[in-house]
Amino acid sequence: MKAAHWYRLSAAFLAAYGFLVVAHNETETDEIQDETARDACPLRLERRGRCEGEECPYQVSLPPLTLQLPKQFSRIEEVVKEVQNLKEIIHSLRKSCQDCKLQADDSRDPGGNALLLPSTRAPELAGDNRVEELESQVNELSSELKNAKEEINILQGRLEKLNLVNMNNIENYVDSKVANLTFVVNSLDGKCSSKCPNQEQIQSRPVQHLIYKDCSDYYAIGKRSSEIYRVTPDPKNSSFEVFCDMETMGGGWTVLQARLDGSVNFTRTWRDYKAGFGNLRREFWLGNDKIHLLTKSKEMILRIDLEDFNGVKLYATYDQFYVANEFLKYRLHVGNYNGTAGDALHYSKHYNHNLKFFTTPDRDNDRYPSGNCGLYYSSGWWFDACLSANLNGKYYHQKYKGVRNGIFWGTWPGISDAQTGGYKSSFKEAKMMIRPKHFKS
Ligand SMILES: *[C@@H]1O[C@H](CO)[C@@H](O)[C@H](O)[C@H]1NC(C)=O
Ligand SMILES: *[C@@H]1O[C@H](CO)[C@@H](O)[C@H](O)[C@H]1NC(C)=O
Ligand SMILES: *[C@@H]1O[C@H](CO)[C@@H](O)[C@H](O)[C@H]1NC(C)=O
Ligand SMILES: *[C@@H]1O[C@H](CO)[C@@H](O)[C@H](O)[C@H]1NC(C)=O
Ligand SMILES: *[C@@H]1O[C@H](CO)[C@@H](O)[C@H](O)[C@H]1NC(C)=O
Ligand SMILES: [Ca+2]
């Protein structure tokens, strides 16, 4: 038996199982407390306890969480028990074998192999019934042992197959479920705002300020100048400043990233990309935590605007855009391209930035096994192995030679054509911004 494998597998199973039990337990408790409001809406956001001003604690009740694990999991326990039983049988068989071997040795010629072949037994013992009985018992036992051995072999084969359900698969599975849940929560959030009594109570209180979750909420109250505004995408979390583009394509855009003159260095650490850096009015990266909160609070679309040094301006939009939290390494979810610049985030099967983790020069989460794409291309980005787009590359003021570590969009017209002298083209301006999918201007 491969005991080590067993322990690993069981530990993985228990860890996953424990996680699910805890999560379920919590939702269950919430449900019991809030039984009355339960029918109104499966998801609620409400204030708890008495409080004043902005410090009020909030509580979100989610619908019960049930994750399906592959059905082989239930069989692990079964198999463990079977193996345990077999072990015990073998142990007792072996013990009784040894016992009768001793007895047999006592009553026959030394060296005789009659144990397994009764027909060859010594003639002088022919009349001894006791020995005959013993012999037939031993033979039975030995054939049982053989069968047991075969069964063990079969079980071992099954075990090895189960080992293939390894931790990676579980992780991927949980990952994708969490991402999926976020979408569900987002859509429920939208539905709740009209139905939930608690939400209405909150909004009817005179002290309650309207929450501006992103730039589209400022647009909705009539703000039309592109400026810095303060947003609170998650009422339980901090608010922060963003730059709002109120002019491009109907306005209401929250800008995530801007490049225009090379004044800010984008070769930065994980911590910098997490918190954000640069100058909101010039060049900056808003920050992965903030991008996560913004894309979590509403279903967002992404718009990318690019301009090259010949004055060509093209754009790309993605109807789906979500960035996971730090625990999930800010994994990118992007889809439904439209536009003129080409779908460089999903260039081909082998160059696809969708569902990739964020990588920085000091944190390798990419799919390139023998190095760090972020280090090689001087950027923090959702690298594959490595890239067909990289808007956080170095800012070059003109064509450049060497490693293609500049701002890059792989579907740009003519960008991969051979240039005289091996020069690579660069971009003058790049901008990434988001707006709620259901925005009305
Ligand atoms: C589940 O909740 C019950 C009652 O609320 C509690 O006694 C138990 O310890 C909880 N179990 C876990 C795993 O949190
Ligand atoms: C989430 O999971 C449900 C059920 O498995 C599926 O129907 C739905 O398409 C998934 N949504 C996303 C966004 O993956
Ligand atoms: C940008 O920062 C990196 C890392 O600190 C540094 O190696 C590089 O020289 C900087 N680039 C410029 C143009 O200052
Ligand atoms: C606020 O958001 C950040 C980024 O997602 C997260 O790490 C942090 O735990 C959140 N804080 C609260 C109080 O929810
Ligand atoms: C892409 O955008 C154009 C212009 O807004 C629109 O006419 C077209 O239907 C869109 N295509 C898709 C596939 O969404
Ligand atoms: Ca790597």
Side-chain angles (χ1 to χ4, degrees), residues 67-70 168-178:
L67 300 188
Q68 291 291 323
L69 289 173
N168 259 349
N169 294 354
I170 297 170
E171 247 176 45
N172 286 344
Y173 193 80
V174 172
D175 259 25
S176 74
K177 282 292 170 191
V178 169

Side-chain angles (χ1 to χ4, degrees), residues 82-295:
E82 277 181 61
V83 171
Q84 203 62 42
N85 284 346
L86 282 171
K87 258 193 192 164
E88 272 159 27
I89 292 173
I90 292 167
H91 188 70
S92 65
L93 284 178
R94 188 184 289 154
K95 201 161 178 300
S96 54
C97 243
Q98 277 167 354
D99 289 352
C100 65
K101 188 165 184 275
L102 281 179
Q103 286 178 28
D105 284 352
D106 282 351
S107 57
R108 74 175 61 243
D109 289 343
N113 62 351
L115 261 173
L116 299 175
L117 305 164
S119 57
T120 66
R121 71 174 186 271
E124 66 267 29
L125 297 176
D128 192 335
N129 280 344
R130 204 171 52 89
V131 173
E132 223 165 275
E133 256 174 46
L134 266 177
E135 269 179 2
S136 83
Q137 267 182 18
V138 167
N139 277 325
E140 253 173 53
L141 288 177
S142 104
S143 82
E144 273 181 41
L145 254 180
K146 254 192 219 160
N147 288 345
K149 197 181 164 207
E150 270 161 29
E151 276 191 55
I152 288 174
N153 280 342
I154 292 167
L155 284 173
Q156 200 159 358
R158 269 159 69 181
L159 262 182
E160 268 154 25
K161 265 190 213 156
L162 283 174
N163 263 337
L164 295 177
V165 186
N166 61 17
M167 200 54 204
N168 259 349
N169 294 354
I170 297 170
E171 247 176 45
N172 286 344
Y173 193 80
V174 172
D175 259 25
S176 74
K177 282 292 170 191
V178 169
N180 190 325
L181 273 175
T182 310
F183 280 109
V184 175
V185 168
N186 280 344
S187 63
L188 286 175
D189 201 15
K191 281 176 201 150
C192 279
S193 54
S194 56
K195 282 185 203 159
C196 289
N198 292 327
Q199 191 93 352
E200 276 167 26
Q201 277 169 17
I202 291 169
Q203 282 173 357
S204 64
R205 282 185 204 170
V207 288
Q208 192 71 31
H209 297 289
L210 229 169
I211 287 173
Y212 304 103
K213 290 182 150 191
D214 58 82
C215 294
S216 74
D217 289 342
Y218 281 103
Y219 191 93
I221 60 160
K223 303 282 186 192
R224 291 294 181 272
S225 60
S226 294
E227 255 305 327
I228 291 177
Y229 295 87
R230 179 162 281 274
V231 296
T232 314
D234 179 352
K236 281 179 305 175
N237 213 306
S238 54
S239 59
F240 49 87
E241 292 190 324
V242 295
F243 190 86
C244 296
D245 180 336
M246 300 302 202
E247 289 144 57
T248 305
M249 285 297 290
W253 297 98
T254 306
V255 185
L256 306 182
Q257 184 253 29
R259 312 295 300 273
L260 45 88
D261 55 14
S263 56
V264 171
N265 189 342
F266 273 63
T267 308
R268 300 275 187 148
T269 61
W270 182 266
R271 272 182 61 180
D272 285 351
Y273 272 97
K274 172 184 163 76
F277 55 83
N279 175 349
L280 287 179
R281 292 181 192 280
R282 304 291 299 166
E283 294 199 305
F284 66 92
W285 179 254
L286 184 61
N288 289 340
D289 276 344
K290 293 169 192 161
I291 296 174
H292 165 66
L293 291 174
L294 285 163
T295 57

